[in-house]
Amino acid sequence: MNPRARLLLAMAPFAFCVGWMGGEAPLKTDWTWSFEAGYEAQGFSTNPITPSLQLGSSPVFAPPENGGGLVMNGDLEVLIVAERAADVIDLLPREALTASAWVAIERPQRWGGILSCIQDNGEYEKGFVLGYDDQVFTFGLSTTGTDDGDGRMSYFRGQTAYQPGAWHHVAASFDGKTTRIYVDGKLDFESTLQNGEVLYDLDAPVVIGAYRDKDENYPLDGRLREVRLESRAMSASQVEKEARSRPTLSASEPWTDMEFGYLVEPYLTWPRLDGVSILFESTFPSEGSVGLWRDDSTHGVEIEYEDEAVSGLHEFFIEDLEPNQKYFYQTKIIGLEGEAIESEVLSFRTAATADRAYTFAVIGDTQTNGEVAKRVSDLAYMHRPNFIVHAGDLVDTGSVKRDWTDTFFPSMQPLLGRVPIIPVLGNHEQDAKLYYDYMSLPDPERWYSAVYGNAEFFMIDGNRSLAQQSDQLKWLEGALKKSTATWRFAVLHQPPYTSDSNDYGDTLKETSTRGDMNVRNIVALLEQYGVDVCFSGHVHDYERTFPIRAGKVTPYEEGGVIYVTAAGGGGSLEDFDPTNTWFGHKKSRYHHFVYVAIHGTQLEFQAIDEEGRLFDVLTLNKRGSKR
Ligand SMILES: [Fe+2]
Ligand SMILES: [Fe+2]
């Protein structure tokens, strides 16, 4: 037993037992942070470092029967070990390390941190981070062996999915040559990509319960029982013993401090003459119901819709209603223990028949910027449009549930509770299952057409092939051919024509294709079947082209199609080609939405920025119709 281990015995007998009980040499545990009923830090250093809870918040511990643990809610500040790695640099592992923890992840997220000392800013990548993503545990590491001058980090992912709310033991080890991730005592990942010594950034903070560097902070939403950082690579058997050492913890039921309620408030998709789709989600499995009644008391109908399945997400396909009619509705969720929560009384209008006047708003690329998206959607709602068209990139990462539940849906309320949406897939949706779960749309959902009033919308998946003979192009041709609508709109995420600066070639230095070449394949069909306007997103700015036909600017009356990029819903703004393009008409670099009002053969079009300022207008008299 070396003197250091003896000191550990006095301070943290448990940590000592891990190595000793198995007959192996005791571990040189450098730091152990325990979060029992109160948290405490233990260390070898003559200057032990105690993490301090920021914001003066009083720590909350989970019930003992669920294994206790310090509750971190994602919004709490992290536990700081050192503001700067420089303050503890002699104590940080270099040649080898093991970072391990007993942790429960309550809500998955894309970048989650458990213990980190990292600076990752573009090409500059140094340090390490034990963390998790929306499915598995992860370990990021930058070493001298792969250093390209400013560090090169590898983000390793384990393979075993963690169970949200349940305790797991996770360990990441590095012995100078091999990096390993262990989950619940079993080897989950191995790589020799990183080698040499750990490369640190002296200004990076050392934190527990977050992935945090100078630019980013992703705090843990979950629980911590213990976090350790050691200056050697634990062996597989040592990790296994550690993971087995707390059987009651491993066996305890998952726990959450989330309360029963609406995870996603009621929202509407796909307006139809005889109904709409109403969706909402509860935090836990529930029975759902929708009560619905007409606002016209002389013809009042009250209908109660019941859900068959018990799950969190409820989707009601409402039908048998009258067109052009306002309805009230109210949703209810009933939890497994009988607790019931009603929504406020909401309302919607069924789709307009072809003889009616109507309006809609086009929003694109709401993405990750909830604040801007909320401003834009609130302004759109102020206009009380009949429905919303979304040009894709609703969220930043389609597979990350929190992007939907915490960013997209909250930022689109109160709009979507009253005004139904018809969206298309952006690249950021990643074709993820969550998109299809959250959207109720005509089959096959990834592409579809929707009729509203005297207009038909051809909703296209620009991420999928539109080449000649592709399924989607064949569908589009068939749908256009049989359309009888006065107004025809194509909607797809990637723009067939754009004056953007660098998405399709760096216009500062080289040539550009001036648009996405896959979606350019639809142009001939749009021209052939008299489409009026094609709406896109993707390039985060606003553009309205001159009408285009056969690769030339052509008057709208002579069949030119107008291309509108309306990608100003929140994503960081992009810029334009420094020189005008042959089709470039109106361009603006504002967050914005587009507002369209149609009555018969007359169309009014406005573009409105996030402050409510009108910056583009257009009126169209449907080509071929009499004035
Ligand atoms: Fe985007
Ligand atoms: Fe995009």
Side-chain angles (χ1 to χ4, degrees):
M1 187 184 285
N2 66 41
R4 289 190 125 197
R6 208 171 294 124
L7 177 60
L8 174 66
L9 178 63
M11 294 181 69
F14 169 75
F16 167 75
C17 289
V18 176
W20 185 248
M21 298 282 280
E24 297 178 41
L27 288 174
K28 192 183 92 172
T29 303
D30 292 355
W31 284 335
T32 301
W33 295 278
S34 298
F35 307 95
E36 309 292 332
Y39 60 92
E40 54 185 281
Q42 288 146 350
F44 275 125
S45 156
T46 51
N47 176 23
I49 289 151
T50 307
S52 55
L53 265 181
Q54 304 288 293
L55 299 178
S57 44
S58 42
V60 173
F61 293 86
E65 60 271 26
N66 297 97
L70 175 69
V71 177
M72 301 190 76
N73 274 327
D75 45 6
L76 195 76
E77 269 295 324
V78 297
L79 298 152
I80 309 286
V81 176
E83 293 286 356
R84 294 177 71 238
D87 300 338
V88 291
I89 195 66
D90 293 339
L91 305 172
L92 291 171
R94 283 191 174 272
E95 295 101 47
L97 74 76
T98 302
S100 63
W102 281 97
V103 61
I105 312 296
E106 197 176 318
R107 297 191 64 195
Q109 59 194 61
R110 186 163 184 213
W111 301 101
I114 298 165
L115 174 63
S116 70
C117 176
I118 183 177
Q119 182 56 43
D120 181 353
N121 182 15
E123 294 290 294
Y124 189 95
E125 302 172 324
K126 290 188 183 177
F128 72 87
V129 51
L130 176 66
Y132 57 96
D133 64 17
D134 51 320
Q135 292 166 333
V136 297
F137 289 105
T138 60
F139 185 59
L141 181 65
S142 175
T143 57
T144 52
T146 59
D147 188 9
D148 57 359
D150 53 8
R152 184 177 290 175
M153 182 87 93
S154 301
Y155 285 100
F156 301 118
R157 295 181 81 236
Q159 294 163 18
T160 307
Y162 57 80
Q163 187 188 1
W167 286 111
H168 289 285
H169 180 261
V170 56
S173 72
F174 171 66
D175 62 9
K177 291 194 184 102
T178 307
T179 309
R180 296 181 176 91
I181 300 175
Y182 300 88
V183 176
D184 296 326
K186 292 197 186 69
L187 184 66
D188 206 43
F189 177 84
E190 193 171 57
S191 168
T192 52
L193 204 60
Q194 293 286 340
N195 58 82
E197 293 188 5
V198 183
L199 201 57
Y200 289 102
D201 173 49
L202 293 178
D203 289 326
V206 185
V207 299
I208 295 170
Y211 172 122
R212 168 155 148 166
D213 65 12
K214 273 179 271 175
D215 321 298
E216 284 154 307
N217 185 16
Y218 302 107
L220 169 75
D221 190 335
R223 289 179 291 161
L224 289 172
R225 272 292 296 260
E226 187 178 277
V227 177
R228 290 162 69 171
L229 181 60
E230 305 167 22
S231 290
R232 66 170 68 185
M234 277 173 96
S235 70
S237 62
Q238 285 166 337
V239 174
E240 192 186 347
K241 280 184 199 101
E242 171 63 35
R244 279 204 203 142
S245 68
R246 300 190 178 197
T248 51
L249 212 55
S250 307
S252 66
E253 285 289 305
W255 177 87
T256 173
D257 60 351
M258 236 192 301
E259 288 177 4
F260 181 68
Y262 284 92
L263 182 62
V264 178
E265 298 283 339
Y267 62 97
L268 308 166
T269 75
W270 187 12
R272 302 178 291 271
L273 287 170
D274 68 343
V276 72
S277 296
I278 300 176
L279 297 95
F280 50 93
E281 186 171 22
S282 52
T283 48
F284 301 109
S286 63
E287 288 172 30
S289 65
V290 175
L292 193 129
W293 62 101
R294 244 171 94 153
D295 80 326
D296 176 349
S297 56
T298 58
H299 300 91
V301 276
E302 281 194 43
I303 315 170
E304 186 85 3
Y305 294 82
E306 295 285 345
D307 216 6
E308 282 168 21
V310 175
S311 72
L313 180 59
H314 300 278
E315 176 178 333
F316 287 87
F317 186 85
I318 307 291
E319 47 192 348
D320 299 330
L321 306 185
E322 307 254 322
N324 308 313
Q325 179 66 41
K326 179 180 171 183
Y327 289 86
F328 291 107
Y329 76 102
Q330 187 171 29
T331 67
K332 186 156 61 169
I333 47 173
I334 303 171
L336 299 180
E337 279 154 27
E339 63 278 44
I341 301 179
E342 287 187 325
S343 70
E344 61 184 307
V345 173
L346 298 157
S347 56
F348 64 88
R349 178 173 286 278
T350 48
T353 45
D355 58 318
R356 297 292 185 110
Y358 57 93
T359 70
F360 63 93
V362 184
I363 298 176
D365 299 74
T366 35
Q367 273 171 259
T368 190
N369 198 336
E371 261 176 53
V372 175
K374 174 96 175 87
R375 270 205 293 283
V376 169
S377 88
D378 282 352
L379 270 169
Y381 181 53
M382 190 183 79
H383 290 70
R384 300 293 194 271
N386 288 66
F387 60 101
I388 301 294
V389 173
H390 199 298
D393 282 1
L394 288 72
V395 294
D396 204 46
T397 309
S399 59
V400 175
K401 193 171 172 79
R402 285 178 77 149
D403 280 12
W404 296 92
T405 59
D406 291 23
T407 305
F408 179 70
F409 287 115
S411 67
M412 297 297 276
Q413 291 287 11
L415 177 70
L416 292 191
R418 282 90 175 163
V419 182
I421 188 170
I422 48 171
V424 291
L425 283 153
N427 52 311
H428 280 262
E429 271 67 69
Q430 302 177 322
D431 206 30
K433 183 175 177 291
L434 285 174
Y435 175 86
Y436 301 96
D437 289 347
Y438 280 127
M439 295 299 143
S440 170
L441 300 169
D443 284 335
E445 290 196 307
R446 56 172 50 94
W447 63 72
Y448 60 95
S449 87
V451 172
Y452 196 106
N454 65 350
E456 184 159 359
F457 293 79
F458 301 90
M459 311 298 281
I460 299 162
D461 179 1
N463 308 288
R464 214 165 279 262
S465 173
L466 285 156
Q468 300 303 324
Q469 300 308 314
S470 62
D471 289 348
Q472 193 176 194
L473 203 71
K474 282 191 216 156
W475 161 79
L476 179 62
E477 174 152 32
L480 282 165
K481 204 178 260 178
K482 64 173 195 257
S483 179
T484 57
T486 304
W487 295 96
R488 294 166 192 194
F489 302 106
V491 183
L492 79 178
H493 183 61
Q494 290 83 350
Y497 290 104
T498 172
S499 302
D500 164 74
S501 64
N502 59 10
D503 274 38
Y504 304 103
D506 183 352
T507 57
L508 288 172
K509 302 184 215 139
E510 59 190 36
T511 189
S512 160
T513 57
R514 314 278 189 224
D516 183 290
M517 294 318 280
N518 174 49
V519 307
R520 184 74 64 79
N521 287 309
I522 69 169
V523 161
L525 291 176
L526 305 193
E527 294 172 1
Q528 186 182 346
Y529 292 100
V531 169
D532 302 286
V533 181
C534 175
F535 291 103
S536 296
H538 194 54
V539 176
H540 298 171
D541 54 30
Y542 171 82
E543 179 169 17
R544 174 165 63 85
T545 69
F546 281 105
I548 299 172
R549 185 178 173 88
K552 284 200 194 83
V553 171
T554 307
Y556 165 74
E557 293 71 20
E558 292 168 26
V561 179
I562 299 163
Y563 294 85
V564 173
T565 299
S572 314
L573 293 170
E574 298 181 47
D575 214 341
F576 298 101
D577 186 326
T579 310
N580 197 15
T581 51
W582 59 267
F583 53 78
H585 185 298
K586 177 70 179 180
K587 301 175 210 74
S588 294
R589 196 168 179 267
Y590 307 133
H591 285 117
H592 69 277
F593 68 100
V594 165
Y595 180 72
V596 180
I598 293 177
H599 184 210
T601 55
Q602 290 293 312
L603 178 151
E604 285 180 46
F605 173 108
Q606 305 176 343
I608 297 164
D609 78 5
E610 62 174 315
E611 310 290 344
R613 292 172 298 214
L614 179 69
F615 65 87
D616 191 21
V617 290
L618 171 75
T619 55
L620 291 177
N621 186 45
K622 175 68 196 184
R623 63 167 92 83
S625 68
K626 293 191 195 93
R627 280 178 191 272

